[in-house]
Amino acid sequence: MSTEPYTPVVYCDVSLTEHFLTHSEEGSSILVHAEPIDEGDVFHIRMEPRSCHDVHALITFVAEDASSDVDAMPFPEKDGPCFALAVRTGARTQDSYPCVFRRADGSVARLEALPMPPKSELYSRSRGLLEVGILEGKKVGVVGLGSGGAEIALELCKAGVGRFLLIDFDRLELGNISRHICGVSDVGRRKTNAVRDALLNRNPHVCIEAVEMDVNKEEERFHGVLRDCDLIICATDENTSRFNTNRAALLLGKTAIFARAITRAAGGDVLRVRPQSDGPCVACAYPNQVQEITNERQAKRALPAYVTREGLQAAIQVGLSSDILPICNFTTKLALSELSRGLESGIASLEADFESDMYMWFNRRDDVEGIPSNLVPLRYQTHELSILRWYGVRVSPDLIAACPVCAMLKAGQRAVPGEDLFAPDAGADTSGGVPAAQQSTQE
């Protein structure tokens, strides 16, 4: 085993140094925190402390032409391990920061602290495939931050989308974790805050507006926060919120994508709503939609009061993460195509592939509502309905023509607050969970 004193790898949050460059003068300094990772093998320097094991770092602002010799830089007036860094006041960006690490025994090591992460390099490997510069200015509203919405938001963030509106009113429960991007350490947190932090951990430069809101109770506020979104994604597990998001998208003239898993994620579907087109809305495609029970809150509302907790749990229909991910991935690709529509990019060819407004996916040939009974085993099939494939669905023009919501908007009428024009008729047949549009799958 080596007896040489160790020298850690050090990263400095670039947004921290950029912020203080505009507020600091030559010779001034600021005390920040260095979080040890892997028992001190790596340190991340940030403004705010992350753990009780953090050590201190003193950033000193020096002249742009100052010597890189930092041996004389002051250390924090603290005992134990610490760092001293030099940041040049005239340099908006630096490839590295001269740094000295003082070990617990008082010995020192000279090294270079690397910026984390340089914004220009975050999506350097996506250039030529995605219009990263365009996506950076786009704003996506995500309604519902469960296992679907959170995953979609994260994938869009990783693709370079620069602005997000995150909407949910719920907290993370332990039962969510097996399917969610967030972990056990986030249990009990607002989903908006937990997902916000997950996105910032991927891209600290992303702009996020987190809104705790029940969209079924605050229509005016809901419409207000959506006004500057370029695209809306609804990934809620409740029909009423889907209908209300549909209403908002249509009235605001915003393209929206609705994604969901059905019946323990035996399958799923994705619907794109373009208000300026002759395509369908949620009310057209799902005129007789049945509400599935995916959490305890819904179970309590749908079942009699005398049902035991065991009975409530038995009624909850959730799926495996691996069954939900294909739906998230497709929704992400469709969203990127919409955001890049009309631009020259490596995914421009997808516009021809996404001709349909509705798509369906089947994970299993289960005998449940929402899954066609004529699915054949996958095997070598290419011309018959089978699992693990996406199918474009043509929504019947008759359904669109008969839709009261579309008729209302075409007539230039605004929905009356509180009037549920999006809900099925009280006497409608709700015996099946399959979208009416499924009957005309595209060849």
Side-chain angles (χ1 to χ4, degrees), residues 153-437:
L154 180 61
E155 288 302 315
L156 290 174
C157 178
K158 288 157 63 176
V161 173
R163 301 168 64 211
F164 287 91
L165 168 68
L166 304 179
I167 300 178
D168 205 306
F169 70 96
D170 218 347
R171 295 180 183 271
L172 274 167
E173 300 176 358
L174 191 59
N176 303 139
I177 300 306
S178 63
R179 300 176 302 280
H180 207 275
I181 65 170
C182 298
V184 174
S185 61
D186 292 308
V187 169
R189 298 185 67 195
R190 295 283 184 183
K191 288 182 179 179
T192 48
N193 294 335
V195 174
R196 175 201 62 199
D197 290 350
L199 268 57
L200 288 171
N201 193 42
R202 294 292 181 140
N203 179 4
H205 308 285
V206 71
C207 297
I208 300 175
E209 181 182 357
V211 178
E212 296 170 18
M213 176 195 303
D214 185 341
V215 301
N216 298 330
K217 298 179 180 179
E218 302 179 73
E219 180 182 45
E220 185 174 350
R221 182 184 176 210
F222 183 40
H223 290 196
V225 297
L226 290 174
R227 288 189 186 279
D228 63 342
C229 289
D230 297 289
L231 178 69
I232 300 169
I233 293 177
C234 180
T236 68
D237 56 6
E238 184 188 47
N239 290 337
T240 304
S241 56
R242 286 164 60 85
F243 294 143
N244 286 332
T245 303
N246 183 53
R247 182 204 307 269
L250 293 173
L251 293 176
L252 294 172
K254 303 290 185 180
T255 297
I257 298 175
F258 296 81
R260 64 166 192 159
I262 54 177
T263 319
R264 296 187 181 276
D269 53 56
V270 177
L271 174 70
R272 176 183 59 205
V273 175
R274 287 175 173 167
Q276 310 305 327
S277 74
D278 293 327
C281 75
V282 170
C284 304
Y286 307 96
N288 302 316
Q289 189 57 55
V290 174
Q291 174 63 60
E292 293 185 4
I293 299 175
T294 60
N295 56 56
E296 189 169 326
R297 184 183 62 256
Q298 292 174 345
K300 288 180 178 179
R301 188 165 58 235
L303 300 177
Y306 58 76
V307 174
T308 64
R309 182 175 179 81
E310 290 74 17
L312 292 175
Q313 293 298 320
I316 297 174
Q317 302 179 12
V318 296
L320 298 174
S321 176
S322 57
D323 286 337
I324 297 171
L325 285 176
I327 303 163
C328 298
N329 291 338
F330 185 90
T331 305
T332 301
K333 189 64 68 69
L334 182 59
L336 290 173
S337 178
E338 286 296 305
L339 293 169
S340 303
R341 192 177 175 197
L343 305 173
E344 293 184 5
S345 71
I347 63 171
S349 63
L350 289 176
E351 292 184 28
D353 293 289
F354 292 142
E355 178 181 349
S356 175
D357 288 306
M358 187 174 185
Y359 301 86
M360 298 202 71
W361 168 271
F362 310 112
N363 283 308
R364 304 185 300 276
R365 293 184 297 114
D366 289 1
D367 184 17
V368 295
E369 291 181 354
I371 302 299
S373 59
N374 61 334
L375 289 179
V376 299
L378 179 62
R379 295 174 184 164
Y380 304 101
Q381 298 292 337
T382 58
H383 300 296
E384 296 184 75
L385 288 177
S386 61
I387 64 169
L388 304 183
R389 287 177 178 154
W390 282 101
Y391 295 95
V393 177
R394 181 178 290 110
V395 178
S396 169
D398 293 339
L399 285 174
I400 299 175
C403 176
V405 176
C406 291
M408 172 196 70
L409 291 174
K410 287 178 181 178
Q413 300 173 2
R414 180 177 174 83
V416 178
E419 181 181 357
D420 195 358
L421 295 175
F422 289 69
D425 294 337
D429 176 16
T430 57
S431 59
V434 186

Side-chain angles (χ1 to χ4, degrees), residues 84-98:
L85 283 81
V87 174
R88 294 177 174 83
T89 55
R92 304 305 300 171
T93 59
Q94 290 182 225
D95 294 332
S96 63
Y97 307 102

Side-chain angles (χ1 to χ4, degrees), residues 93-114:
T93 59
Q94 290 182 225
D95 294 332
S96 63
Y97 307 102
C99 177
V100 177
F101 173 55
R102 187 178 69 194
R103 305 183 181 93
D105 63 4
S107 61
V108 298
R110 296 186 56 178
L111 46 90
E112 296 288 322
L114 303 174

